[in-house]
Amino acid sequence: MATAQVETVATKPSQTLTHGRSAAMEAIEDITYGSIAGIVGKYIEYPFDTVKVRLQSQPDHLPLRYTGPLDCFRQSIRADGFLGLYRGISAPLFGAAAETSSLFFFERIGRGAVYASGLYSRDAVLPLSALWFTGAFAGAFTSLVLTPIELVKCKIQVPMSADGSTPKAPSVMSVIRNVYRHEGIKGFWHGQMGTFLRESGGCAAWFGSKETTTKMFYLLNERSATSQMEKDTLATEALPLWQQAVAGASAGMSYNFLFFPADTIKSRMQTAPVGGSGQPKTFWQEGKALWNQHGLRGFYRGCGITVFRSAPSSAFIFIVFDGLKRYLPM
């Protein structure tokens, strides 16, 4: 019986037992701690995200302004100083809180849906295949929350006027007013297809990779144990901090690499000027134009720096969230 318990807990170590707690309290905890973790991660990654969006959004009809991430860093700091890389962070901070809290909230809802389907007993821990599904479930619903926030963020990071010039960086409210004046409410969901593909596929990888790596570490730690008592203790304790960091980093890198082309198309759509004479391009039209102009490499412009910055950011997000859930339960 003890061995079976070790295997069960190790399968989903971050799924803490919550018997006797209300669903409302679970939701409040997910939203509160997810928001805190998201804000911490955003402060770490935002300068790299600014560079990524600027690399992705270079116009097709002009020579490339930046030769790569380091050149973009140099030019950006020379023009606006280091703090210029944090331009427009107010909306992304709100977005990071909304995104991360939504992901953990909807992932828990997804787990509840899987249990409600009758495929698995509520007393059992879900297998990894089910956790990849709950990640996709969480990402799909979170994309609806995230698209308007990312649209505002992108337009602040890469301001562009209808005549192709680069105006002064707008404020959050001016972007919101401009989008609503020209495109109405639906304009805030411009790029939704790209966000949906990135979030549903990427979050399957985000949660799935984190849980897969976590399970691997639990099994490796169990093998190194010299007694059954030590195995039982390891199964109920949190992983060492460096192992938690590796699991979180693997999640962030998987999320960003696998569906990066969808994010590139989304960024180009959301940085397009508002109020021009032509109709905004659809997801597929933007993707076709990018392919014709730059080929496959165009879809991965800025991918390296994005994967690089996602490792520490995602590691901190999971360490903060899991730590708060474990040591400060509501």
Side-chain angles (χ1 to χ4, degrees):
M1 289 298 291
T3 302
Q5 182 184 11
V6 170
E7 293 174 351
T8 300
V9 175
T11 302
K12 176 66 164 129
S14 62
Q15 183 177 319
T16 54
L17 298 177
T18 56
H19 296 306
R21 299 178 59 191
S22 68
M25 187 55 67
E26 280 283 303
I28 292 171
E29 189 175 78
D30 286 343
I31 292 170
T32 303
Y33 291 161
S35 297
I36 294 171
I39 290 172
V40 170
K42 182 55 65 177
Y43 270 112
I44 294 171
E45 73 172 31
Y46 193 75
F48 302 96
D49 185 67
T50 298
V51 170
K52 183 246 332 181
V53 172
R54 290 176 180 176
L55 288 170
Q56 288 177 326
S57 307
Q58 297 178 84
D60 293 334
H61 60 285
L62 297 173
L64 293 180
R65 181 176 180 181
Y66 309 110
T67 59
L70 291 179
D71 181 54
C72 186
F73 263 117
R74 281 194 296 266
Q75 291 195 42
S76 298
I77 292 174
R78 189 182 305 123
D80 304 312
F82 181 75
L83 291 180
L85 294 172
Y86 282 91
R87 177 189 295 165
I89 196 175
S90 56
L93 283 179
F94 173 78
E99 177 186 17
T100 311
S101 60
S102 296
L103 284 174
F104 286 115
F105 173 77
F106 284 119
E107 197 273 338
R108 185 178 59 81
I109 298 298
R111 271 190 275 125
V114 171
Y115 282 129
S117 70
L119 293 174
Y120 304 100
S121 168
R122 289 187 179 273
D123 295 328
V125 177
L126 291 176
L128 291 175
S129 57
L131 295 173
W132 282 72
F133 166 78
T134 60
F137 178 94
F141 280 96
T142 299
S143 70
L144 296 170
V145 177
L146 196 57
T147 299
I149 298 169
E150 291 224 341
L151 181 134
V152 174
K153 179 207 75 169
C154 286
K155 290 190 180 302
I156 293 174
Q157 286 176 319
V158 188
M160 191 71 71
S161 62
D163 60 5
S165 62
T166 303
K168 182 181 177 182
S171 66
V172 172
M173 291 309 300
S174 67
V175 169
I176 292 174
R177 286 193 299 267
N178 197 34
V179 172
Y180 181 76
R181 182 168 61 249
H182 290 97
E183 299 179 1
I185 290 294
K186 70 176 183 178
F188 291 99
W189 276 266
H190 187 56
Q192 168 61 29
M193 176 60 74
T195 312
F196 172 80
L197 293 175
R198 186 196 68 188
E199 290 296 308
S200 56
C203 289
W206 197 57
F207 284 104
S209 295
K210 189 261 184 180
E211 296 298 346
T212 300
T213 307
T214 299
K215 178 183 179 181
M216 178 193 72
F217 278 129
Y218 268 100
L219 294 176
L220 288 174
N221 295 344
E222 179 189 344
R223 289 177 184 176
S224 65
T226 57
S227 67
Q228 188 60 53
M229 181 178 296
E230 187 178 353
K231 290 181 180 181
D232 293 344
T233 301
L234 286 172
T236 56
E237 289 183 345
L239 289 173
L241 201 60
W242 74 267
Q243 292 182 349
Q244 295 182 47
V246 170
S250 71
M253 295 171 75
S254 299
Y255 167 92
N256 282 283
F257 179 74
L258 293 176
F259 289 85
F260 194 79
D263 183 62
T264 297
I265 298 173
K266 177 203 73 73
S267 292
R268 291 170 64 88
M269 294 176 69
Q270 293 186 328
T271 54
V274 176
S277 56
Q279 287 292 322
K281 290 181 181 178
T282 66
F283 180 84
W284 306 111
Q285 289 172 339
E286 191 70 68
K288 182 179 179 181
L290 179 59
W291 175 268
N292 291 337
Q293 188 73 18
H294 298 291
L296 183 62
R297 289 185 62 184
F299 289 92
Y300 284 91
R301 190 184 295 152
C303 181
I305 192 172
T306 303
V307 174
F308 172 78
R309 56 91 169 166
S310 69
S313 172
S314 191
F316 271 97
I317 286 173
F318 277 112
I319 287 173
V320 170
F321 181 79
D322 287 343
L324 290 172
K325 293 269 286 187
R326 179 180 287 271
Y327 298 111
L328 293 175
M330 292 185 175

